Amino acid sequence: MSQFTVAMLVASTRTGSINVRLAKAIEALAPETLSFNWVQMDDLPFYHGDLEGDRPAAVRRFVSEIEAADAVCIVTPEYNRSIPAVLKNAIDWGSKPGDRNVWRDKVVAMSGTSPGGIGTAVGQQHLRQILSILNAVVVPGEVYVTFKTPDMIDAAGNVADDSVRDFIAAFAKRFEALIRRMRD
Ligand SMILES: Cc1cc2nc3c(=O)[nH]c(=O)nc-3n(C[C@H](O)[C@H](O)[C@H](O)COP(=O)(O)O)c2cc1C
């Protein structure tokens, strides 16, 4: 059975981040055919056209890691009903120049968690809108997780709640199936 590589983009590096915990859970519960490479975004400078002539090393590293991956999994907090600037900035770098847009035809899954009742649903809709103009192939369906209790997912990515664990595993399975359809 084919193996696939997934670039994992987590839009929070905060100590104790609940989205890092969710990303660890997704990685742990995903089918064994997926191997994850966590890709750094917080070392990228803000997008600036003057840097295009000689792109900074961090930008070249980011773009090549996305290019090398069969698919991308984005796990993001919701910031003011949108996505954090660190993620938007990374998407912008990957989108230019237009004829080398790394998101084109890339299978992208998204998820996110927040203590709020509609944890990240609105931010994800915004992310979907951005990815649609970039011609990414986005896994359908909303996968947001309300972080109900402080230890619903622990620091190692273990999920305390059975229904949440099943939900995350089902999401990862659908993601793998779409990658297989696009790449096999
Ligand atoms: C600038 C900022 C804006 C936020 N906006 C939202 C929001 O729109 N919706 C929401 O559910 N939570 C919002 N939050 C709360 C985050 O969901 C919460 O801080 C969460 O823990 C962030 O994810 P992290 O733990 O992975 O860093 C916001 C937090 C910050 C710092």
Side-chain angles (χ1 to χ4, degrees):
M1 195 173 264
S2 307
Q3 293 287 316
F4 304 103
T5 57
V6 176
M8 177 70 92
L9 299 180
V10 187
S12 173
T13 51
R14 190 180 67 81
T15 304
S17 161
I18 56 178
N19 283 278
V20 169
R21 292 180 182 204
L22 174 60
K24 286 183 181 171
I26 292 168
E27 181 169 7
L29 293 167
E32 288 179 358
T33 48
L34 300 187
S35 59
F36 289 79
N37 173 35
W38 288 49
V39 177
Q40 190 176 0
M41 297 186 284
D42 62 359
D43 60 342
L44 300 174
F46 282 123
Y47 183 85
H48 196 304
D50 290 354
L51 299 176
E52 283 293 10
D54 183 16
R55 287 189 147 201
V59 174
R60 284 186 270 113
R61 190 250 333 133
F62 175 78
V63 166
S64 68
E65 286 187 280
I66 300 299
E67 277 172 345
D70 292 301
V72 176
C73 181
I74 299 175
V75 182
T76 182
E78 179 175 276
Y79 276 7
N80 299 315
R81 297 289 184 250
S82 184
I83 58 172
V86 70
L87 174 59
K88 180 60 164 55
N89 186 51
I91 292 172
D92 289 343
W93 274 116
S95 71
K96 293 293 175 197
D99 60 352
R100 298 196 57 194
N101 164 22
V102 293
W103 311 108
R104 182 185 308 282
D105 297 331
K106 192 72 80 179
V107 177
V108 180
M110 68 178 73
S111 187
T113 185
S114 140
I118 54 165
T120 74
V122 182
Q124 287 187 41
Q125 286 300 326
H126 209 174
L127 179 57
R128 240 169 236 283
Q129 183 186 345
I130 296 162
L131 292 170
S132 73
I133 188 67
L134 299 175
N135 295 302
V137 179
V138 182
V139 177
E142 283 192 338
V143 183
Y144 62 85
V145 176
T146 302
F147 213 88
K148 288 182 211 143
T149 57
D151 49 4
M152 194 182 78
I153 305 175
D154 72 15
N158 299 305
V159 184
D161 186 305
D162 287 347
S163 65
V164 174
R165 192 182 317 112
D166 291 349
F167 182 63
I168 294 169
F171 158 63
K173 202 172 165 190
R174 287 202 308 281
F175 181 32
E176 197 267 357
L178 184 57
I179 300 169
R180 185 169 301 287
R181 283 175 66 180
M182 292 294 290
R183 305 293 290 186
D184 259 356

